[in-house]
Amino acid sequence: MPSLILSTAARYLLPLLLLFSVFLLLRGHDEPGGGFVGGLVGAAAFVLVGIAAGVDQARRLLRVDPRAALAAGLLLAVASGLPGVALGRPFLTGWWVTLPVAGGAKLGTPLLFDLAVYLVVLGAALTIVFALMEE
Amino acid sequence: MIAAVASGFALALAAPWIVRRAPAHAGWMLALAPAAMTAYLAAQVPAVAAGSIATAATAWIPTLGIALSFRLDGLSLLFGLLITGVGAVVTVYAGGYLAGHPQLGRFFASLFLFMASMLGLVLADDLIAMFVFWELTSVSSYLLIGFDHDRAEARSAALQALLVTAGGGLVLLTGLLLLGQVGGTFAVSALIAHAEAVRGHVLYLPVLVLILVGAFTKSAQVPFHFWLPSAMEAPTPVSAYLHSATMVKAGVYLLARLAPVLGGTTVWTALVLPVGAATMLVGALLALRQTDLKRILAYSTVSALGALTALIGAGTPAAVEAAMVFLLAHALYKGALFLVAGAVDHETGMRDVSRVGGLRRAMPLTAAAAGLAALSMAGLPPALGFLAKELLYEAVWPGPGGAAWALGVVVVASAALVAVAGIAGVEPFAGPAHPTPRTPHEAPPSLLVGPALLAGLGLAVGLAPVWTAQPLVASAAGATLGAPVTLALKLWHGFTPALGLSVLTVLAGATLYATRSVLRRDAAWLDRAGRLGPAAWYDWAMRALLAAARDQTRLLQSGYLRTYLLVVVGTTVAVTGYALATRVGVRLPTALGDVRSYEWVLAAAILLAALGAVRAPSRLAAVAALGAVGYGIAVVFILYGAPDLAMTQFAVETLTVILFVLVLYRMPRFARYSGTAARVRDALVATAAGGLMTLLLLAATGFSLERRVSAYYAESSVPLAGGRNVVNVILVDFRALDTLGEITVLAIAGVGVYALMRLRARTR
Amino acid sequence: MIAEMVAALPAAPIVVPLVTAILLLAGPRPRAQRLLGLAGSVVSLAAAAALVAATRRGEVLPIQAGGWPAPYGITLVADALAALMVLIASLIGLVALLYTIGARRDDRFVHAGWQFLLAGINWAFLTGDIFNLYVAYEVMLVASYFLLTHGTSRAQAREAFTYVAINLVASMFFLFAVALTYSATGTLNMAHLAERVPAAPVAPVRAAAVLFFLAFGIKAAVFPLFFWLPHAYAIPRAGIAAFFGGLLTKVGVYSLFRVFTVVFPGQLDGVLLWVAAGTMLLGVLGALAQDDIRRILSFHIISQVGYMVMGLGLASQLGVAGGLFYVLHHIVVKSGLILVGGAIEETHRTGRLDRLGGLARTNGPLALVFLLCALSLAGVPPMSGFFAKLLLIRAGLEAGQPWIVAVSVLVSVLTLLSMLKIYSGAFWGAGSPPRAPARLVAPAAALAAITLLVGLGAQGLYGLASTAAGHLTAPAAYVSTVLRK
């Protein structure tokens, strides 16, 4: 069933789409984007591969089981809320550090939370799509 | 007192164990406890008769004014002695009657549960505590009636008895709560102090009626009497104990207990006396027709309960004194006769009086006990029953508290009961012997000691009432009347009208007894009348209830999702529309404001796509149309400056369409199931729902934007949360908890689909 | 450190099962799954108990999630009501899980779904934000769809679809009501709403109130929106059904109590008692028409919800306290009954009354457990159900609404009838059926013991319910604590 044109296109589109999804994730705190839409775009990339070249190929390229991404993401989301608690602040309180790199890039638990969203969305979407495709 | 009640419950728990350890002697061993309690209570008689009242209390639900408070006065003591005394006798009896029964332990557990509850009932001063014990007696009665649960009759009789008594119990509870509200306390002793206020309260009548329903159901008054004869499915010791000597008297007890609070009014007498009298008459007449020994006794018990109720309803000192003496007399002779009936059943294998006879030769001691008890029941001297009947006649003799019609009822009923005493106590033992399924022998000691003791007591008290029962009965009557009474019990009153009536009664009763076979043959109309009675109403109500239940379930539980959805959406439209139309009215914004041409085009496109989804000829087309709706909404987001939402919407729509496509080819072939009418109806409901939502949204806009909490987000996003994209900051910081929830939803959905598919794959 | 732990305590009943569920997704060995699932349930229960202890005198413990002040962030609020609900949820979560393990019906997915569901339920009880409540509902419902369809046949999965569809509609109403509320008041925090609703435009507030009622009413299965429930709750295995039947509808009831006292007081005056009467009557009539233990019990869920709504409809502190007492009591008893039904089904492969009989002869303990729970359900003393009814009857009389008292008494008698129908059909009669193993009976026995003890010591639970009701009928303290005024 896989068509040659589609599978070739998918092979080149995958890295582009993945890059775009990570880009969306990283800029999300200041510009339109974020973990949710980033995760969806990432998932779309692998779905494309799945349609074009089969689920096995998509799974090979993903390297990890999507369910692992899902679980890890959810765990990360909860964990990102804990530093605040350790500091005596309420659950999910943001905790920021300024990195000593170019321009003083900030890193904070809300960004980790966004990453967690990305992972869960990617993992959940792919878990469902792969399960449906495989049967 | 608390210890006495509690030890009863402890005994209920221990009984199965004791039975397992010593099955042969369990009855004798277990009887020691109630016997000891009888002795303890008997020792209190002098003090109580002298007017001292023992109390004991412990807090239970203080904020609701409910306490576990107990109070031992004359009335409680009389009942307490009956409960423990007859209890001891019945325990011994049951040990023999049910010897070797595999469920004997459970039987005794239920029996002691009852005994403890009944004791708690008569000792409790707090009405709610009393009610708790009241219901427990009903439950233990249920378990005991249904003890032989292999038989369908036993099961349905148990159910009937519990439904009537527990249903009446709930009505009673309502009455008691209302009484507590009216009187400001649940303690009977305190309520008596407020009796005037209670009787004058506007809610007095509801309180009285509710409580009477409870008492009447428990004490098997007309029209609730039908459960008691059915309850004869219980093993005979249970019938003797619960359904004759004690539990069924709980209603009478309640009336006596609350008489100082609620009694003494015209309404009280007008409600209680006629019901009691009717019950007395109905019970006595129906008893005549029976041939099953236990049912004869059951109906005569109904009659006796009616007499007691009527006397307390009359409420004069003479009536109350008569009631207390009669109560004692009845418990003794009826208990004895039931136990005799059990012995006859046990020895012959049957209990139809028309088919057993001449047992005096095989069972002389049992016959003697039966004869003594029948003597008392017939009201012949020198038994206690004679005293009771004399007092009864004196109480209803026309004058204060008495009335000619009441006297007539009592005479007729008493005459019938004389005959019934003969049928139950004499007929099985007299005349020629008949062949029976088992060859009768004298009953073993355990079955003999009970009837002999009870019948003997009836005789002893009758012979020497002053030394035995008088102080007890007098103080019980005093507690009921709310004032001390001086009572002189004696066998010989002189030539009074009562004595004359007694002679008349006995003669009439003897005539009835002599013609009993004619009655059995020719009074079949009584049976036909019975078929129109309350027992038939009960059956009819049960059938009607089931039919109604089936019909409404068939109507409401169609199982069709489309029907359910129609109801849900239809209800929503109707209720919301009604609430708005009747209560507030909706004012719509008259001008739509500034709408640009491309916005019109977009709106039209979305609408068209939605219509397309509805009219689509295939699933794939419908999915595509829905996708178009989604993309259209994404465009709306773009136009109104929400790029994040737009992007997400695009991505979600795309993935959704892919998912749909993956799912679609697994589904059955697309077909139209509903006709045009149904589709029009659905379209109308859907349009109404959509229209309502639109109206609501239009009505809701216009709230000042500055006061919304979102204004805070816009201000604080950069300075406090370090992000310029407010939407994202809301998602990952301000309202991160929402997002955590939503990604949890996603995760569960992902795993759920995986699990479902994998399991299907494995089961195939 | 201690102070921080106490401050974080209200989040524990959500976070503990959530983390447990995530760890379970990693797929440890069966033995470890069991231990992990049990550990999560036990720790949740302990946290819930601590929370009840910390709120029993009327304390209100808020957590401003993310450190954002109310009403801007999301507030989790533990008051006596939330703490009690969390306690009962964690208790049933543990007991029903023990049964499921005892019945050998647990696997990795069951354990994970179980903890997700517990997290969602606790979340719904603890949140103080109306949109966050919607989110909690979603967590709960998607977890319940998961458990409902897990390990069932194709036909049953199809029946579960009805449940999903109806609940999606309810969620839609819920979301729409939240949107209306926000557009009319500009806030989502319930305490803040309590302040703003009185001054908000009447029409959208009224519409939102009605939609909230319908959304919660569908979940709580009140008249006339209950028809989906009996089939759905008869689908899953008894352990899961006990968790569902006891708790899920009660989240809807809880929401009715919270929202229609604190946020929209008086918006449903006069309606609630009629809804209560209809729910009681039609539910019990439905039960009378059934011949299968689990189906009878499913219909009783509906009927009993009517009593709870009656308490809310009476609107006095006594009435609301009675309603809450009823909720807590009912969850214990209903779960216990479903577990008894499950023990029978597991042992005899059927729950139909015409195929059962004589269980009392061979299954004495099971019969006792059933009787305690069944009589408690019907309101027979001294079990907890009696006091629940006593409070409601008293509140009804004091409120001058004798007709609803009459309905409730009638329904009690019919409930008794229907419970005895089970006893008579399954436990009495001829036959010597095999004995259900102790691992199936013990969980229900624990619940039967609880209903008895709660009844004997009714002051304890009544005191707590009364405190909880106080926060609802007079929410000033709740509002000011949450908003830090």
Side-chain angles (χ1 to χ4, degrees):
Chain A
M1 210 254 295
S3 87
L4 190 64
I5 305 171
L6 198 57
S7 63
T8 316
R11 200 177 305 155
Y12 292 105
L13 270 174
L14 176 70
L16 280 177
L17 279 172
L18 278 181
L19 265 180
F20 181 55
S21 79
V22 174
F23 166 75
L24 282 174
L25 165 68
L26 291 181
R27 78 198 283 254
H29 211 53
D30 291 320
E31 304 293 333
F36 203 90
V37 68
L40 284 173
V41 171
F46 286 99
V47 171
L48 193 62
V49 175
I51 293 172
V55 183
D56 293 338
Q57 177 68 13
R59 276 194 188 280
R60 253 198 309 282
L61 288 170
L62 183 61
R63 284 163 199 272
V64 293
D65 190 323
R67 283 180 301 130
L70 181 157
L74 208 50
L75 197 60
L76 179 63
V78 177
S80 77
L82 294 178
V85 178
L87 296 171
R89 308 279 310 281
F91 183 57
L92 287 172
T93 303
W95 184 57
W96 294 90
V97 288
T98 310
L99 294 181
V101 291
K106 290 177 306 171
L107 196 61
T109 50
L111 298 185
L112 285 181
F113 190 84
D114 219 7
L115 175 62
V117 173
Y118 179 93
L119 287 173
V120 173
V121 171
L122 180 83
L126 289 182
T127 304
I128 296 173
V129 173
F130 286 176
L132 286 172
M133 281 179 161
E134 265 168 357
E135 207 200 334
Chain B
M1 266 181 283
I2 296 178
V5 175
S7 67
F9 287 113
L11 201 59
L13 287 177
W17 181 79
I18 293 176
V19 170
R20 213 173 308 136
R21 296 303 298 266
H25 309 290
W28 293 98
M29 284 167 63
L30 286 167
L32 289 176
M37 276 193 262
T38 314
Y40 164 76
L41 288 173
Q44 312 297 314
V45 172
V48 171
S52 95
I53 291 171
T55 60
T58 174
W60 194 7
I61 314 176
T63 47
L64 288 177
I66 299 173
L68 270 180
S69 58
F70 296 97
R71 201 161 178 278
L72 184 67
D73 64 359
L75 186 63
S76 301
L77 190 57
L78 173 60
F79 272 91
L81 277 168
L82 284 179
I83 293 160
T84 53
V86 179
V89 164
V90 164
T91 306
V92 170
Y93 184 91
Y97 189 81
L98 292 172
H101 196 290
Q103 309 282 323
L104 186 59
R106 206 169 295 164
F107 175 84
F108 276 123
S110 305
L111 195 71
F112 285 112
L113 174 67
F114 166 76
M115 194 184 295
S117 311
M118 191 70 202
L119 201 55
L121 194 167
V122 299
L123 290 177
D125 187 40
D126 186 287
L127 285 172
I128 303 300
M130 187 214 74
F131 179 78
V132 168
F133 293 119
W134 176 285
E135 290 290 78
L136 277 177
T137 61
S138 294
V139 170
S140 46
S141 153
Y142 167 77
L143 293 173
L144 288 166
I145 297 173
F147 182 68
D148 287 331
H149 52 74
D150 280 4
R151 288 179 299 116
E153 299 84 19
R155 295 198 296 271
S156 68
L159 177 67
Q160 189 184 56
L162 185 57
L163 275 188
V164 174
T165 54
L170 280 164
V171 177
L172 170 65
L173 174 66
T174 312
L176 295 178
L177 287 170
L178 207 55
L179 176 58
Q181 190 186 326
V182 166
T185 172
F186 288 120
V188 178
S189 49
L191 277 171
I192 292 175
H194 298 121
E196 286 301 318
V198 171
R199 286 194 288 258
H201 197 280
V202 63
L203 289 174
Y204 168 72
L205 187 62
V207 168
L208 181 63
V209 170
L210 292 171
I211 290 178
L212 288 182
V213 169
F216 290 169
T217 50
K218 193 83 163 183
S219 280
Q221 300 295 301
V222 169
F224 307 113
H225 63 280
F226 59 93
W227 72 264
L228 185 55
S230 312
M232 294 301 121
E233 294 294 337
T236 304
V238 173
S239 307
Y241 189 31
L242 275 72
H243 303 124
S244 156
T246 56
M247 186 188 97
V248 289
K249 296 211 172 88
V252 173
Y253 168 81
L254 181 70
L255 293 180
R257 176 53 75 207
L258 290 178
V261 183
L262 299 173
T265 61
T266 343
V267 186
W268 167 278
T269 308
L271 287 175
V272 181
L273 178 57
V275 170
T279 308
M280 185 181 186
L281 195 60
V282 167
L285 293 179
L286 290 176
L288 274 179
R289 282 279 306 150
Q290 307 299 320
T291 53
D292 177 345
L293 208 41
K294 284 183 73 178
R295 289 181 78 88
I296 296 170
L297 293 172
Y299 278 110
S300 73
T301 303
V302 169
S303 177
L305 292 168
L308 290 169
T309 304
L311 286 170
I312 292 173
T316 56
V320 171
E321 287 158 15
M324 294 306 146
V325 177
F326 188 49
L327 180 87
L328 182 62
H330 175 257
L332 294 177
Y333 73 66
K334 193 58 66 62
L337 284 175
F338 262 114
L339 296 183
V340 165
V344 168
D345 191 7
H346 195 260
E347 292 302 317
T348 64
M350 62 191 308
R351 49 180 207 234
D352 185 331
V353 282
S354 61
R355 290 161 64 197
V356 286
L359 291 174
R360 66 186 178 282
R361 274 179 292 274
M363 307 171 70
L365 295 173
T366 310
L372 267 183
L375 195 70
S376 188
M377 180 174 176
L380 289 169
L384 181 57
F386 172 70
L387 277 145
K389 197 180 289 176
E390 295 284 289
L391 287 170
L392 180 61
Y393 280 137
E394 279 170 25
V396 293
W397 188 256
W405 68 266
L407 185 64
V409 167
V410 173
V411 171
V412 173
S414 300
L417 287 181
V418 170
V420 172
I423 293 171
V426 180
E427 192 178 2
F429 301 96
H434 296 288
T436 50
R438 264 176 250 153
T439 313
H441 298 285
E442 184 56 271
S446 57
L447 297 193
L448 207 51
V449 68
L453 206 60
L454 294 177
L457 261 178
L459 183 67
V461 175
L463 284 171
V466 183
W467 308 109
T468 48
Q470 184 168 303
L472 182 63
V473 171
S475 70
T480 309
L481 290 163
V485 295
T486 48
L487 178 67
L489 290 178
K490 47 187 186 233
L491 269 177
W492 179 248
H493 289 243
F495 291 100
T496 56
L499 184 65
L501 286 173
S502 274
V503 174
L504 178 69
T505 313
V506 171
L507 289 176
T511 316
L512 276 175
Y513 177 70
T515 56
R516 62 190 182 278
S517 49
V518 182
L519 269 177
R520 277 175 204 151
R521 206 177 50 236
D522 293 346
W525 57 271
L526 265 172
D527 290 346
R528 280 196 296 277
R531 250 174 259 145
L532 300 172
W537 308 347
Y538 172 87
D539 291 339
W540 178 85
M542 284 292 153
R543 274 197 305 275
L545 194 63
L546 273 185
R550 296 238 155 82
D551 287 348
Q552 75 102 19
T553 312
R554 209 173 303 130
L555 200 68
L556 292 177
Q557 304 282 316
S558 68
Y560 291 116
L561 176 60
R562 56 176 183 273
T563 320
Y564 292 174
L565 284 177
L566 202 67
V567 173
V568 168
V569 175
T571 308
T572 307
V573 173
V575 174
T576 317
Y578 175 81
L580 289 178
T582 56
R583 305 286 176 95
V584 286
V586 181
R587 242 174 306 123
L588 290 180
T590 43
L592 281 174
D594 194 14
V595 186
R596 271 162 244 164
S597 55
Y598 58 84
E599 289 174 352
W600 283 114
V601 173
L602 183 59
I606 294 176
L607 269 178
L608 274 178
L611 270 179
V614 177
R615 304 281 310 161
S618 72
R619 287 204 183 86
L620 198 61
V623 167
L626 272 182
V629 172
Y631 283 129
I633 288 168
V635 175
V636 173
F637 287 142
I638 293 178
L639 290 180
Y640 287 88
D644 288 272
L645 297 187
M647 271 196 299
T648 311
Q649 178 80 15
F650 277 125
V652 166
E653 282 304 331
T654 311
L655 271 176
T656 310
V657 170
I658 291 174
L659 280 178
F660 263 127
V661 171
L662 285 174
V663 172
L664 278 188
Y665 74 91
R666 295 166 205 282
M667 300 185 81
R669 250 161 47 82
F670 185 75
R672 289 190 196 284
Y673 291 104
S674 41
T676 315
R679 286 172 68 83
V680 168
R681 177 198 62 199
D682 294 352
L684 282 176
V685 173
T687 314
L692 182 78
M693 298 297 162
T694 313
L695 282 180
L696 285 175
L697 276 184
L698 288 175
T701 48
F703 183 78
S704 73
L705 289 173
E706 305 79 64
R707 288 188 63 218
R708 295 189 176 173
V709 292
S710 51
Y712 172 88
Y713 300 145
E715 290 157 17
S716 322
S717 182
V718 175
L720 295 181
R724 286 194 302 278
N725 180 359
V726 184
V727 174
N728 185 262
V729 174
I730 291 176
L731 286 177
V732 300
D733 203 342
F734 290 128
R735 295 187 67 93
L737 203 57
D738 284 342
T739 312
L740 180 60
E742 289 302 346
I743 59 177
T744 307
V745 170
L746 264 182
I748 304 169
V751 178
V753 171
Y754 173 80
L756 206 59
M757 304 301 285
R758 218 183 61 153
L759 231 71
R760 293 280 175 274
R762 208 193 297 153
T763 49
R764 200 166 299 158
Chain C
M1 196 60 208
I2 302 286
E4 273 110 48
M5 281 179 69
V6 171
L9 193 58
I14 303 171
V15 173
V16 169
L18 191 58
V19 170
T20 310
I22 298 168
L23 294 179
L24 280 163
L25 284 185
R29 293 168 183 284
R31 220 182 129 75
Q33 288 160 23
R34 255 177 214 174
L35 286 177
L36 200 56
L38 283 175
S41 301
V42 169
V43 175
S44 299
L45 183 61
L51 215 50
V52 169
T55 56
R56 70 183 186 284
R57 293 201 188 83
E59 296 89 338
V60 177
L61 308 175
I63 287 187
Q64 313 289 359
W68 301 105
Y72 307 111
I74 293 171
T75 317
L76 297 177
V77 193
D79 59 359
L81 173 58
L84 277 173
M85 297 305 296
V86 165
L87 179 69
I88 194 77
S90 305
L91 175 75
I92 299 303
L94 177 62
V95 173
L97 184 63
L98 284 170
Y99 171 90
T100 304
I101 292 173
R104 316 274 188 263
R105 299 283 178 194
D106 60 323
D107 64 26
R108 171 156 58 109
F109 295 115
V110 167
H111 280 293
W114 199 279
Q115 297 296 324
F116 275 128
L117 183 58
L118 184 58
I121 292 172
N122 285 344
W123 199 325
F125 293 145
L126 285 165
T127 187
D129 184 285
I130 197 107
F131 181 72
N132 201 238
L133 180 64
Y134 170 80
V135 173
Y137 263 76
E138 293 298 288
V139 174
M140 205 170 78
L141 287 168
V142 75
S144 70
Y145 305 154
F146 176 21
L147 285 175
L148 195 60
T149 52
H150 190 69
T152 51
S153 71
R154 270 188 118 78
Q156 287 172 318
R158 207 171 299 138
E159 284 220 41
F161 181 72
T162 305
Y163 170 83
V164 175
I166 296 283
N167 275 289
L168 275 179
V169 172
S171 293
M172 195 179 73
F173 292 157
F174 192 166
L175 193 58
F176 200 80
V178 171
L180 274 179
T181 308
Y182 183 72
S183 66
T185 62
T187 188
L188 294 168
N189 181 299
M190 289 197 245
H192 201 212
L193 279 170
E195 288 192 335
R196 282 197 172 182
V197 160
V202 183
V205 163
R206 180 139 203 109
V210 171
L211 284 173
F212 274 125
F213 173 71
L214 292 167
F216 298 148
I218 291 173
K219 315 272 184 188
V222 301
F223 169 80
L225 307 165
F226 59 77
F227 34 72
W228 59 270
L229 184 141
H231 286 289
Y233 281 13
I235 301 169
R237 299 275 178 200
I240 292 170
F243 201 12
F244 278 30
L247 279 172
L248 278 189
T249 51
K250 304 316 166 297
V251 183
V253 174
Y254 160 85
S255 308
L256 285 173
F257 270 78
R258 179 72 85 189
V259 169
F260 287 97
T261 52
V262 175
V263 181
F264 298 116
Q267 283 283 356
L268 296 176
D269 275 357
V271 181
L272 279 175
L273 287 181
W274 288 103
V275 171
T279 312
M280 282 189 241
L281 274 171
L282 291 182
V284 83
L285 282 178
L288 284 173
Q290 304 302 312
D291 291 306
D292 179 280
I293 296 178
R294 290 270 308 279
R295 287 202 179 247
I296 294 176
L297 294 176
S298 285
F299 274 94
H300 275 294
I301 297 175
I302 299 167
S303 171
Q304 301 280 308
V305 164
Y307 284 94
M308 304 164 200
V309 175
M310 171 182 163
L312 179 62
L314 291 171
S316 62
Q317 185 176 355
L318 183 65
V320 173
L324 292 177
F325 193 106
Y326 211 109
V327 171
L328 296 164
H329 134 77
H330 170 81
I331 293 174
V332 171
V333 168
K334 179 43 58 74
S335 303
L337 285 171
I338 296 176
L339 291 183
V340 170
I344 294 173
E345 280 185 1
E346 292 283 349
T347 318
H348 304 282
R349 304 280 152 224
T350 180
R352 292 187 54 88
L353 293 179
D354 50 5
R355 294 191 199 145
L356 292 164
L359 285 168
R361 197 170 289 114
T362 45
N363 287 267
L366 191 67
L368 182 64
V369 167
F370 176 83
L371 265 187
L372 281 174
C373 291
L375 294 177
S376 184
L377 191 81
V380 172
M383 278 75 77
S384 55
F386 166 67
F387 294 95
K389 293 226 163 87
L390 181 143
L391 290 168
L392 287 179
I393 292 178
R394 187 166 167 181
L397 293 175
E398 284 181 10
Q401 302 277 10
W403 69 273
I404 192 79
V405 171
V407 172
S408 74
V409 165
L410 173 68
V411 173
S412 290
V413 178
L414 297 181
T415 306
L416 185 66
L417 170 62
S418 138
M419 286 296 118
L420 296 181
K421 184 173 154 185
I422 299 182
Y423 194 73
S424 192
F427 289 89
W428 277 354
S432 293
R435 205 180 163 89
R439 62 192 156 83
L440 295 179
V441 180
L447 295 176
I450 289 174
T451 182
L452 183 61
L453 291 176
V454 165
L456 292 177
Q459 175 66 41
L461 187 59
Y462 172 65
L464 289 169
S466 196
T467 307
H471 283 307
L472 296 181
T473 51
Y478 173 90
V479 170
S480 62
T481 314
V482 170
L483 298 180
R484 292 254 170 88
K485 289 206 170 144

